[in-house]
């Protein structure tokens, strides 16, 4: 039984969908937290360097593999590895699919927090103060309620397909997300204390730049922010017309992603200093109190201290966060859905239901074992899963993929000297750089 593949109908639709995949909690939640905990400006500088040297090439490799194969990540890696071992490609694809499930397991929980915090000020405005307090307080009951809601939201979009679901909703959500972000930045930068946050964020201490911990954090954040390593970009690439100009697409996606990450830092870090100016304790010995969850304690308290306007600021802020989360979860959900549709010949509806139930089960496992598993799963995905798959993509594109690979075609490379330089960079430089980072990861465990 052959399956007719859906596709993106425009270049801008693809760019917005792929950028939406990249632009999510990794940018608006993860990047500012990492920057605040790792030297501010020094982290931003190293992040930009790592993004250009490693993350952009890895993004190119992932999209390129999907685009050339016109298949889901399991099928695409099978095809690319056929001259060496189709089984190797298949297992690597399934490993990436597992990474997508693991990412969704914790991402859906955090997205549920964002959604509940967005509804809390709305309940306050409507006069339901007890409901607002419940929505704002962390609890197992709230996780049990909102994690499934977010999984269902993602499923509803995925079930509509690539053009009617992913492309259409990404094209709607992304411009609104950008406008909300700019509006919040303008407001926060006018508050007392914000200038200290801007100074920390934009002024690097060059003595910190060689810190292995900072480099590892920046690499993990760059791969996480760009959604590299779980197959989302590969499956999106497969929905574009074959032989599309991947280089231009990667630059467009990467530029949008980096811009949003930078703007998110320009919002969150000054906001933390505004909170500190108002008497809240935010840092201890240069580290954020509560780490990633600080955003759900300090910021709501800051919004409360603003008076009536704080309710509206809180509503807009957490709506922004919820939208950023949704644009990312739909791409990760599409990875296993595409596999089931194409390799198992399941309907899109059935595939979406199966994947959503698996993600729900994984998320509930984390909810009931939060202290022991939640942080461990995030660390595994960020520090190991994503870079490991990025390294594998470099090896496949540079060394394993032969038939149909323009980057290995001597005739093509002879006509385009710049393409030969790019192919050699992917083949030699990127694997060496990424391996060096892995050695630092292992030595710092």
């Amino acid at each position: 039984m052959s399956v007719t593949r859906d596709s993106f109908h425009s270049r801008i639709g693809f760019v917005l969908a792929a950028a939406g995949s990249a632009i999510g909690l990794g940018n608006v939640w993860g990047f500012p937290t990492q920057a605040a905990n790792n030297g501010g400006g020094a982290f931003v500088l190293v992040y930009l360097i790592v993004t250009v040297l490693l993350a952009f090439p890895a993004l190119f490799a992932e999209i390129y593999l999907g685009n050339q194969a016109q298949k889901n990540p399991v099928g695409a890696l099978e095809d690319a590895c056929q001259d060496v071992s189709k089984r190797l490609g298949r297992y690597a694809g399934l490993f990436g699919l597992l990474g997508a499930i693991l990412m969704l397991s914790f991402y859906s929980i955090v997205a549920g927090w964002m959604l509940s915090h967005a509804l809390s000020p709305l309940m306050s405005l409507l006069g339901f103060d007890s409901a607002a307090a419940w929505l704002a307080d962390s609890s197992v009951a709230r996780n049990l309620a909102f994690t499934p809601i977010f999984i269902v939201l993602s499923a509803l979009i995925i079930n509509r397909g690539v053009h009617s679901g992913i492309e259409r909703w990404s094209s709607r959500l992304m411009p609104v997300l950008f406008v909300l972000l700019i509006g919040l930045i303008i407001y926060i930068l006018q508050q007392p204390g914000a200038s200290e946050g801007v100074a920390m964020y934009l002024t690097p201490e060059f003595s910190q730049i060689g810190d292995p911990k900072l480099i590892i954090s920046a690499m993990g954040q760059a791969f996480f922010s760009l959604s590299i390593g779980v197959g989302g970009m590969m499956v999106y690439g497969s929905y574009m017309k074959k032989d599309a100009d991947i280089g231009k697409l990667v630059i467009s996606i990467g530029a949008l992603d980096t811009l949003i990450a930078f703007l998110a830092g320009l919002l969150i870090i000054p906001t933390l200093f505004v909170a500190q100016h108002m008497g809240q304790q935010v840092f201890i010995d240069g580290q954020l109190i509560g780490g990633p969850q600080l955003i759900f304690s300090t910021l709501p308290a800051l919004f409360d201290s603003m008076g009536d306007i704080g309710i509206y600021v809180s509503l807009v802020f957490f709506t922004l966060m919820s939208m950023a989360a949704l644009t990312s979860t739909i791409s990760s959900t599409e990875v296993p859905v595409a596999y089931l549709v194409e390799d198992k010949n399941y309907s899109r509806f059935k595939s979406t239901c199966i994947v959503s139930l698996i993600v729900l089960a994984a998320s509930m496992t984390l909810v009931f074992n939060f202290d022991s598993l939640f942080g461990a799963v995030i660390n595994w995905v960020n520090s190991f899963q994503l870079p490991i798959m990025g390294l594998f993509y470099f090896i496949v594109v540079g060394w394993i993929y032969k038939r149909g690979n323009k980057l290995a075609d001597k005739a093509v490379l002879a006509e385009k000297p710049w393409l030969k330089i790019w192919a050699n960079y992917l083949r030699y430089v990127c694997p060496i750089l990424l391996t060096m980072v892995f050695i630092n990861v292992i030595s710092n465990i």
Side-chain angles (χ1 to χ4, degrees):
M1 175 184 170
S2 62
V3 178
T4 302
R5 300 189 93 240
D6 201 350
S7 65
F8 291 107
H9 286 200
S10 67
R11 182 180 183 275
I12 187 64
F14 169 80
V15 169
L16 287 175
S21 169
I23 296 164
L25 298 185
N27 301 75
V28 188
W29 170 59
F31 178 80
T33 300
Q34 292 278 15
N37 280 335
N38 291 282
F43 177 87
V44 175
L45 181 59
V46 173
Y47 173 85
L48 292 174
I49 293 170
V50 171
T51 296
V52 172
L53 294 181
L54 277 175
F56 277 21
L59 178 62
F60 174 91
E62 182 167 336
I63 293 177
Y64 176 71
L65 286 167
N67 183 253
Q68 290 299 106
Q70 298 285 290
K71 293 181 180 179
N72 68 81
V74 177
L77 289 174
E78 271 189 324
D79 283 3
C81 296
Q82 62 183 307
D83 292 326
V84 174
S85 170
K86 290 189 72 172
R87 183 175 295 180
L88 170 65
R90 180 173 184 79
Y91 286 154
L94 292 172
F95 182 66
L97 191 150
L98 172 64
I101 298 294
L102 289 175
M103 180 181 285
L104 285 166
S105 70
F106 71 79
Y107 213 97
S108 298
I109 295 171
V110 178
W113 299 344
M114 302 297 181
L115 189 58
S116 67
H117 275 278
L119 292 175
S120 180
L122 187 59
M123 291 298 103
S124 293
L125 288 171
L126 295 174
F128 300 114
D129 293 336
S130 58
W134 182 81
L135 288 166
D137 290 338
S138 178
S139 67
V140 173
R142 193 188 68 175
N143 287 342
L144 291 175
F146 278 88
T147 302
I149 289 174
F150 214 90
I151 292 171
V152 169
L153 284 175
S154 299
L156 290 174
I157 293 174
I158 288 294
N159 185 56
R160 292 184 63 84
V162 178
H163 172 61
S164 299
I166 297 171
E167 182 174 1
R168 182 168 295 170
W169 278 98
S170 295
S171 298
R172 291 171 177 173
L173 291 172
M174 287 300 298
V176 177
L177 185 152
F178 187 78
V179 169
L180 290 179
L181 184 55
I182 293 295
L184 281 170
I185 289 171
I186 292 170
Y187 177 78
I188 287 296
L189 291 184
Q190 298 178 52
Q191 305 308 305
S195 58
E196 295 175 50
V198 173
M200 176 199 178
Y201 184 53
L202 298 182
T203 309
E205 290 187 25
F206 292 98
S207 61
Q208 297 178 320
I209 289 175
D211 182 0
K213 179 177 178 293
L214 188 150
I215 295 172
I216 293 164
S217 297
M219 182 200 67
Q221 183 60 42
F223 276 65
F224 183 52
S225 289
L226 283 167
S227 294
I228 298 165
V230 295
M233 291 301 189
M234 195 179 298
V235 77
Y236 276 12
S238 76
Y239 294 137
M240 277 296 286
K241 185 178 179 181
K242 190 172 182 178
D243 296 326
D245 190 336
I246 303 300
K248 287 183 179 178
L249 294 173
V250 166
I251 290 171
S252 300
I253 296 162
L256 271 175
D257 175 78
T258 304
L259 174 63
I260 295 295
F262 176 80
L263 291 175
L266 196 57
L267 169 64
I268 301 296
I269 294 179
T271 299
L272 295 177
F273 278 82
V274 171
Q276 188 170 255
H277 182 81
M278 290 185 170
Q280 297 180 44
Q281 188 171 18
V282 178
F283 295 95
I284 292 181
D285 296 328
Q287 293 292 300
L288 290 173
I289 300 171
Q293 292 202 62
L294 178 71
I295 200 171
F296 303 104
S297 55
T298 297
L299 296 192
L302 170 63
F303 298 146
D304 287 343
S305 70
M306 292 177 175
D308 292 340
I309 188 67
I311 294 177
Y312 297 97
V313 175
S314 179
L315 175 61
V316 173
F317 176 80
F318 284 109
T319 299
L320 165 72
M321 300 293 275
S322 300
M323 291 169 58
L326 186 59
T327 58
S328 288
T329 55
I330 57 179
S331 69
S332 295
T333 306
E334 178 65 15
V335 176
V337 168
Y339 168 70
L340 292 178
V341 169
E342 295 175 13
D343 284 32
K344 303 300 180 184
N345 289 327
Y346 292 167
S347 68
R348 176 163 280 270
F349 176 76
K350 182 178 180 180
S351 300
T352 304
C353 289
I354 291 171
V355 170
S356 298
L357 287 172
I358 292 172
V359 171
L360 179 61
S363 295
M364 291 301 101
T365 300
L366 296 189
V367 167
F368 288 111
N369 299 275
F370 191 86
D371 292 338
S372 59
L373 290 182
F374 186 76
V377 171
I378 292 177
N379 186 60
W380 163 259
V381 172
N382 278 4
S383 298
F384 294 96
Q385 172 90 38
L386 305 188
I388 284 171
M389 288 305 295
L391 178 58
F392 184 73
Y393 297 154
F394 289 140
I395 293 171
V396 170
V397 170
W399 298 93
I400 296 175
Y401 182 22
K402 300 298 182 185
R403 277 182 280 178
N405 183 8
K406 290 181 174 56
L407 299 179
D409 189 320
K410 293 180 180 179
V412 173
L413 296 179
E415 292 178 6
K416 301 177 179 179
W418 64 267
L419 190 61
K420 184 175 182 179
I421 294 171
W422 177 240
N424 285 332
Y425 183 77
L426 292 175
R427 189 178 195 187
Y428 296 106
V429 180
C430 289
I432 292 171
L433 288 176
L434 203 45
T435 301
M436 288 170 62
V437 176
F438 270 129
I439 293 171
N440 274 323
V441 170
I442 294 169
S443 64
N444 283 273
I445 292 177

